[in-house]
Amino acid sequence: GNSVTQMEGPVTLSEEAFLTINCTYTATGYPSLFWYVQYPGEGLQLLLKATKADDKGSNKGFEATYRKETTSFHLEKGSVQVSDSAVYFCALSGVNSGNTPLVFGKGTRLSVIA
Amino acid sequence: DGGITQSPKYLFRKEGQNVTLSCEQNLNHDAMYWYRQDPGQGLRLIYYSQIVNDFQKGDIAEGYSVSREKKESFPLTVTSAQKNPTAFYLCASRRASGSPDTQYFGPGTRLTVL
């Protein structure tokens, strides 16, 4: 079945450091891939997505590239801010999955210190 | 503005009482979902519904019940059979389409059983 594996956290970085959160997936065909962000006490918000191989999703300085050859969708940001402290979830939607739920990774907590 | 509302934000109940969590969406989405999140943990799927008057069990349905009488509404009842109901509950919805689309989340309800 479909699955998503994220690097375990927590990740602690200093402000302006480079961020990478690894995400790899298992799925048949070409799933759609998503990154969600959850700030403390809130629901999840879509951060970015990519629907086909080699697509790059980007938003708020975050980027992720859909790599079919390595089945990966790593999240990156060049210079993190304290306000980026949150939990980040990688997710996928399988091919022909209709409205079945997205498959989520376990989440990676990021703490950015000033 | 379109979106998903969950009420109340905080809910307290005595042990042994049933409690119903509200989830309403005005996005005209066909599919709706309920997740449970425990502190420092990822998301676990409770129930989902792809169409009115139909729903499927998720990974942890025991002790929970749902109904889907209207497209806009997907209430979740936490019954006294749920052994450890204290958690953060998230509702989500998704547009029906032939291709995968984004799942949108509500702000969540934090349930505490005393």
Side-chain angles (χ1 to χ4, degrees), chain A residues 38 41-44 89, chain B residues 4 6 21 23 33-37 42-47 74 76 87-92 104-110:
Chain A
Q38 184 181 31
E42 298 183 8
L44 277 68
F89 291 91
Chain B
I4 303 173
Q6 292 186 243
L21 281 59
C23 178
Y33 314 85
W34 274 107
Y35 294 88
R36 170 181 171 141
Q37 188 176 32
L43 304 175
R44 292 190 288 171
L45 182 67
I46 305 172
Y47 269 99
F74 191 41
L76 173 74
F88 189 51
Y89 290 87
L90 287 162
C91 179
Y104 294 90
F105 283 81
T109 292
R110 187 167 301 279

Side-chain angles (χ1 to χ4, degrees), chain B residues 10-17 19 21 35-41 44 46 60 63-64 76 78-90 109-114:
Chain B
Y10 299 96
L11 189 56
F12 298 88
R13 280 294 181 269
K14 292 183 179 180
E15 195 170 345
Q17 289 182 334
V19 59
L21 281 59
Y35 294 88
R36 170 181 171 141
Q37 188 176 32
D38 293 284
Q41 302 298 311
R44 292 190 288 171
I46 305 172
I60 56 164
Y64 299 97
L76 173 74
V78 184
T79 74
S80 57
Q82 168 51 234
K83 299 302 180 189
N84 185 19
T86 294
F88 189 51
Y89 290 87
L90 287 162
T109 292
R110 187 167 301 279
L111 173 64
T112 302
V113 175
L114 305 172

Side-chain angles (χ1 to χ4, degrees), chain A residues 23-96:
Chain A
C23 172
T24 57
Y25 68 89
T26 301
T28 54
Y30 290 82
S32 291
L33 300 171
F34 305 82
W35 275 103
Y36 282 82
V37 59
Q38 184 181 31
Y39 299 103
E42 298 183 8
L44 277 68
Q45 303 173 26
L46 178 69
L47 183 59
L48 53 85
K49 70 178 183 180
T51 58
K52 59 184 188 293
D54 299 326
D55 265 3
K56 177 186 282 188
S58 61
N59 186 24
K60 300 180 182 179
F62 290 89
E63 294 182 340
T65 301
Y66 188 158
R67 301 284 188 202
K68 179 65 175 175
E69 62 276 12
T70 54
T71 62
S72 65
F73 193 54
H74 305 321
L75 182 68
E76 297 182 335
K77 187 175 185 184
S79 176
V80 294
Q81 305 301 311
V82 172
S83 57
D84 294 326
S85 298
V87 180
Y88 293 82
F89 291 91
C90 185
L92 74 80
S93 179
V95 177
N96 298 322

